[in-house]
Amino acid sequence: MVMLRPAIGMGLGPWQVGSMKGSAVLITGASRGIGLALASELARRGWRVMAGARDPAGAHGLHAAAQSAAPGSIEILPLDVCSDHSVRSATEEAASKLRAIDVLVNNAGVLPEEGNETLEELPLERFAEAFAVNVVGVARVTRAFLPLLTAAPHPRVVNMSSRAGSVSRKEDSRHYCYSASKAALNMLTRAMAAELHPRGVTVVAVTPGWVKTEMGGPQAPLTVAESAVSLAATIDRVTPGDAGRFLDRNGSRETTAW
Ligand SMILES: NC(=O)c1ccc[n+]([C@@H]2O[C@H](COP(=O)([O-])OP(=O)(O)OC[C@H]3O[C@@H](n4cnc5c(N)ncnc54)[C@H](OP(=O)(O)O)[C@@H]3O)[C@@H](O)[C@H]2O)c1
C-alpha cells in the first residue's frame, strides 16, 4: 500500500516561501471569480500564469487582467474541464509554450442547485452536473497535465475545495449536490496524493473562504482579492509534507475537517 508521507504537525514548510517567482501555474476556471483574482495575484508576484477559460471570448475580466499585468505574465488558455478534446488541446498548447508546470490549481467549479431544495424536490441531474466539473473535471485535467507537472522540480496540485465538502461538519441539508461533489473532491485529493506523492507531485485540497463571487453571493465576507492574496501565499508555501492535507486559505489545518 502506498503511504502518504507522515508529516503530522510539520505544517507548511518555510523552505520555499517566496521562491516560486518565475514559476508556471495553470489555473482552471480563471474567467471570473476566485480563479481570475488568483491569476492576477500570482502574475503580480512574478509567476507565469496559464489562465484556463472555457469561453475565452467571453472572459472580459480575464482579458483586462492580462492587459494590465506584466507583458506575457498571463496567457489565456481555452480549457473546458468537461471536454476531453478541450483538455487535450490545452495540454498541447501549454506544452508548446512551457517545459514544465509547477502548480496546477483545479479551481473551476459549479454549484448547480438553489441550495434549499428538499430531497424530494431536487432534480437528480444536478448531481451529475456537479460531479462532472467538481470531481471528474479535476481528474481529467490533472492526469492530462501530469507530464508537464512531473517535469517541474517541486510540482503541486491544489484542488479548490469547500467547507461544504466536510463530512464531519455537515449538519444541514443544504446544497446536496455541491456538498457531495466537494466531499468526493476531498477523497479524490487523498487518493491522488497517495498515488502521486512517490512521483514527486504534492496534492492538497484548499478552501478559499466564503467569497463574494457569482457562486458565493454578495453577502460573503471576503472579496476575491482578499481570498486570492492568502491563497497565493499558501500555494507558494505548500511542501511535500502537506501531501493529502485539507488546508484553509491561510494554509492552516485547524479550521478544516474532512
Ligand atoms: N465563492 C465561494 O465562497 C467559494 C467557497 C468555497 C469554495 N469555492 C470554490 O472556489 C472555486 C471558484 O469559485 P468561484 O466562487 O470563483 O465561482 P464562480 O465565480 O462561479 O466561477 C466559477 C468558475 O468556474 C468556471 N467553470 C465552470 N464550469 C467549467 C468548465 N466546465 N470548464 C472550465 N471552467 C468552468 C467558470 O467559467 P465560466 O465563466 O465559463 O462559467 C468560472 O470561471 C470553485 O471550485 C468553488 O467551488 C468558492
Side-chain angles (χ1 to χ4, degrees):
M1 185 173 127
V2 177
M3 299 294 290
L4 294 179
R5 188 172 286 190
I8 288 172
M10 276 176 59
L12 294 169
W15 56 280
Q16 284 181 331
V17 174
S19 65
M20 295 295 286
K21 195 171 177 179
S23 299
V25 58
L26 168 63
I27 306 171
T28 67
S31 59
R32 56 191 165 89
I34 295 166
L36 171 57
L38 188 58
S40 296
E41 176 59 23
L42 289 172
R44 193 185 67 75
R45 290 169 175 247
W47 291 50
R48 182 166 179 189
V49 179
M50 302 293 281
R54 66 174 159 174
D55 174 23
H60 304 298
L62 181 56
H63 283 284
Q67 274 168 7
S68 60
S73 61
I74 298 181
E75 287 184 64
I76 301 172
L77 188 66
L79 178 53
D80 180 342
V81 304
C82 292
S83 160
D84 287 330
H85 174 73
S86 171
V87 171
R88 201 176 311 117
S89 300
T91 55
E92 287 167 4
E93 187 174 338
S96 73
K97 295 177 174 169
L98 296 167
R99 190 192 58 78
I101 289 179
D102 298 278
V103 177
L104 165 63
V105 182
N106 284 309
N107 165 78
V110 291
L111 193 168
E113 64 222 292
E114 292 297 322
N116 55 359
E117 299 93 333
T118 64
L119 188 57
E120 290 98 329
E121 289 167 352
L122 192 62
L124 294 178
E125 313 84 77
R126 300 287 174 266
F127 280 103
E129 291 166 23
F131 274 70
V133 178
N134 301 349
V135 186
V136 184
V138 172
R140 178 181 289 110
V141 170
T142 305
R143 70 181 189 178
F145 280 91
L146 268 180
L148 278 171
L149 283 164
T150 52
H154 302 292
R156 308 114 201 248
V157 175
V158 177
N159 294 331
M160 204 63 80
S161 186
S162 168
R163 285 174 69 94
S166 168
V167 173
S168 57
R169 296 215 170 130
K170 186 69 175 168
E171 288 174 353
D172 60 38
S173 63
R174 290 182 59 75
H175 300 113
Y176 270 101
C177 309
Y178 180 75
S179 302
S181 73
K182 290 294 184 180
L185 174 63
N186 286 349
M187 179 57 84
L188 178 64
T189 300
R190 291 287 295 181
M192 291 197 305
E195 182 185 342
L196 299 180
H197 183 61
R199 293 163 68 180
V201 184
T202 302
V203 185
V204 296
V206 174
T207 62
W210 185 17
V211 188
K212 283 185 189 63
T213 62
E214 279 184 38
M215 185 185 293
Q219 69 277 41
L222 288 171
T223 66
V224 285
E226 288 166 337
S227 177
V229 165
S230 40
L231 284 170
T234 292
I235 288 168
D236 209 9
R237 287 154 48 219
V238 166
T239 72
D242 297 307
R245 287 183 175 171
F246 186 18
L247 306 170
D248 71 13
R249 70 181 191 284
N250 297 310
S252 169
R253 289 189 296 163
E254 305 305 319
T255 65
T256 54
W258 294 111

